[in-house]
Amino acid sequence: MTEGENHDDDELRRDRLLASLALIGGIGLIIALPFALMAGAEFFLPMTIAIVISIALVPALEWLERRRIPSALAACICVILFLLIANGALALIIVPATDWFVNLPSKIPQIMSNLEPLIEFYSDLQKFVDDTAKMITAGPVAEMQTVTVDSPTSLVDLIASSAPTVAVQMFFVILVVFFFLSGWTRLRENTINSRGSFTGALATARVIQNVVSATSAYLVTITFINIMLGLSVAIVLWMIGMDSPAMWGGIVALLNFVPYLGPILTAILLALGGLMTFDSLWMAMLPAMVQIGFNAVEANIITPTVLGRRLTVNPLLILVSLSFWTWIWGTPGALLAVPLLIIIQTVISAAGTPDIAGFLFEAGTLTKHGPGGGAPEKNAANGEKSSN
C-alpha cells in the first residue's frame, strides 16, 4: 500500500472518529433535553407557546403587509385580535365554570341520588363476590380502602397563589409574539440571504414556507372544526335543558385540541354536569352520550375529510408526542403536542435527515477521490477494482 493510500485511510478513520463523537454527543443531548425542558419550564413553555402562536399568525401578518400596512402595526393588529378572541373564549368558559365549581358541594346529594341505582347494584355485586370468596377460601375478603378526596378549595388556593406567575408568563408570551411578528419579514429575509449558495437559500426558504403553511393550516382548520363541534354540542345541550350550554360547548372545543384524552375527559365532565342538573340517571348521562356521538362523527369523518392527506399525521406519532409533551409540561404540553409534532416533522421532511449511522456503519458511504480529482471511488474495504 502506497503512502497516499495510507494517508487516505487515516483521514477516513479520523472522519469515523469525529462522526462517532458527534453521534455520542447527539445522543447525550437528546437524553438531557427533556429534563432541561422540564427544569426550565417557566422559560421554555411560554417561549414555545409564543412561537407556535406566532407561526399560526404569520399568514394573517403577511396578508396585512400585502395591504401595505407596516410590520409593527400589522403585528399589533394580529396580537390584539388574538387576545380578544382568546379572552372571549376563556371568559365564556371560566366565568360559568366558577359557578359550577362553587355549587358542587351543594349538588353532592343530588349526584348521590342519581347514582343510587348504580351504588345499590355495586353493593349487591360486592356482597355476592364477598360471600363467594368466603365459601372458597378460609380467609376474609380484604376490606375496601376509603379514598379521601381533597376539598376543591385547595385548587382555588393553588390557582390564586400561582396567578402572579401566570400573569407574568402571559405578558412574556404577548411580548414575544409581537416582536416575532414585527420582525418576521426581516428575519426571514436575513435567514435566506445568509446562505452561501442559491441552492441553500432555496432550501431554507422552502423549509420556512412549509413550516408556516403546515402549522397555520392545521391550527386554523382544527380550530374551526372544534368551534363547530362545540357549537353543535352546545345547541343540543340547550335543547335538552342543560345549564350553561355555551360553557360546555367551549369546554368541548378546547379539550378537543388534546388528541384521544381530551374527548374522554370532556365526556366525564359532561356526565358530572348531567348528574348535577338532572334528576334521572339516564337523562344525566345524555349530555355525555351527545358529546361522544358528535366526537365520533368529527374524528372519523369530518376531520379526515377536511384535513386530507397533506395534514394527516401518524396516530402512533401523535400518541408518542402527546405522552412526551404531557410528561414535560402537563396540560399545556398536551395542547402543544400536535403543533410541535407538525413543526418537527415538517422541518425533518424538508431539510432531510443526516446519514450519521450510514457514515459510521456502511463502508460504501466513505469515499475518496482519485489523484486526478475524478469521480469518487469506493473505500478499500469494498475492494479496489483491478484493471486488466
Side-chain angles (χ1 to χ4, degrees):
M1 182 177 293
T2 64
E3 182 179 352
E5 291 175 346
N6 289 333
H7 180 70
D8 290 337
D9 291 340
D10 291 340
E11 287 184 351
L12 294 177
R13 282 193 291 269
R14 187 160 50 249
D15 290 342
R16 283 183 180 275
L17 176 61
L18 293 176
S20 301
L21 294 177
L23 181 61
I24 294 173
I27 293 175
L29 177 63
I30 292 175
I31 295 175
L33 183 61
F35 299 97
L37 293 174
M38 190 182 303
E42 292 184 356
F43 171 77
F44 290 113
L45 178 57
M47 180 64 71
T48 305
I49 293 175
I51 292 175
V52 172
I53 293 175
S54 301
I55 293 175
L57 294 176
V58 163
L61 174 78
E62 294 177 342
W63 185 86
L64 292 174
E65 288 180 340
R66 286 194 295 269
R67 270 67 184 173
R68 300 189 178 185
I69 298 177
S71 298
L73 180 58
C76 184
I77 294 174
C78 291
V79 171
I80 291 175
L81 290 177
F82 172 77
L83 289 178
L84 290 176
I85 295 173
N87 289 335
L90 291 177
L92 184 68
I93 297 174
I94 292 177
V95 174
T98 303
D99 297 335
W100 280 79
F101 189 76
V102 171
N103 294 330
L104 179 60
S106 62
K107 293 291 185 177
I108 291 180
Q110 180 178 350
I111 296 175
M112 298 299 296
S113 176
N114 288 332
L115 293 177
E116 186 175 358
L118 293 179
I119 295 175
E120 292 179 354
F121 174 77
Y122 175 79
S123 300
D124 295 339
L125 180 62
Q126 182 66 34
K127 184 176 181 300
F128 172 77
V129 172
D130 290 346
D131 294 340
T132 304
K134 287 180 181 179
M135 288 187 297
I136 297 176
T137 62
V141 177
E143 296 181 358
M144 299 292 295
Q145 297 290 332
T146 302
V147 179
T148 304
V149 180
D150 295 334
S151 173
T153 56
S154 62
L155 180 60
V156 176
D157 295 338
L158 178 61
I159 295 175
S161 63
S162 62
T165 303
V166 174
V168 171
Q169 291 180 344
M170 290 302 299
F171 182 70
F172 176 73
V173 168
I174 295 171
L175 288 180
V176 172
V177 171
F178 172 75
F179 287 115
F180 184 95
L181 292 176
S182 61
W184 165 254
T185 302
R186 185 170 59 255
L187 175 64
R188 181 184 58 187
E189 293 177 353
N190 293 337
T191 303
I192 295 174
N193 294 332
S194 64
R195 309 300 294 179
S197 63
F198 176 76
T199 304
L202 185 62
T204 303
R206 185 184 300 112
V207 171
I208 295 175
Q209 184 61 38
N210 289 344
V211 169
V212 171
S213 299
T215 306
S216 59
Y218 171 80
L219 289 177
V220 171
T221 304
I222 206 67
T223 299
F224 177 77
I225 292 175
N226 290 347
I227 291 175
M228 292 297 101
L229 175 64
L231 183 61
S232 301
V233 173
I235 292 175
V236 176
L237 295 182
W238 172 76
M239 293 175 62
I240 65 176
M242 184 80 167
D243 295 336
S244 306
M247 177 201 73
W248 290 113
I251 292 176
V252 170
L254 179 63
L255 292 182
N256 204 54
F257 281 98
V258 182
Y260 308 126
L261 300 180
I264 297 176
L265 180 58
T266 304
I268 295 175
L269 292 177
L270 279 171
L272 179 61
L275 291 172
M276 295 173 61
T277 303
F278 301 105
D279 296 330
S280 169
L281 176 62
W282 303 111
M283 195 67 183
M285 292 295 105
L286 185 58
M289 299 304 297
V290 168
Q291 186 271 334
I292 292 173
F294 274 104
N295 182 261
V297 174
E298 174 269 327
N300 295 285
I301 299 177
I302 297 178
T303 298
T305 302
V306 175
L307 290 180
R309 292 179 176 269
R310 189 171 64 90
L311 293 178
T312 301
V313 185
N314 190 323
L316 180 60
L317 292 179
I318 293 178
L319 185 60
V320 172
S321 179
L322 178 64
S323 303
F324 177 79
W325 292 111
T326 304
W327 170 56
I328 297 295
W329 289 330
T331 302
L335 293 172
L336 293 170
V338 178
L340 289 176
L341 175 61
I342 290 176
I343 293 174
I344 295 172
Q345 187 174 351
T346 303
V347 171
I348 292 177
S349 62
T353 56
D355 191 21
I356 297 178
F359 182 76
L360 288 174
F361 304 115
E362 293 184 8
T365 308
L366 295 176
T367 60
K368 63 178 181 178
H369 291 273
E377 301 173 358
K378 290 292 183 180
N379 183 14
N382 291 336
E384 296 182 356
K385 294 182 178 179
S386 58
S387 59
N388 295 328

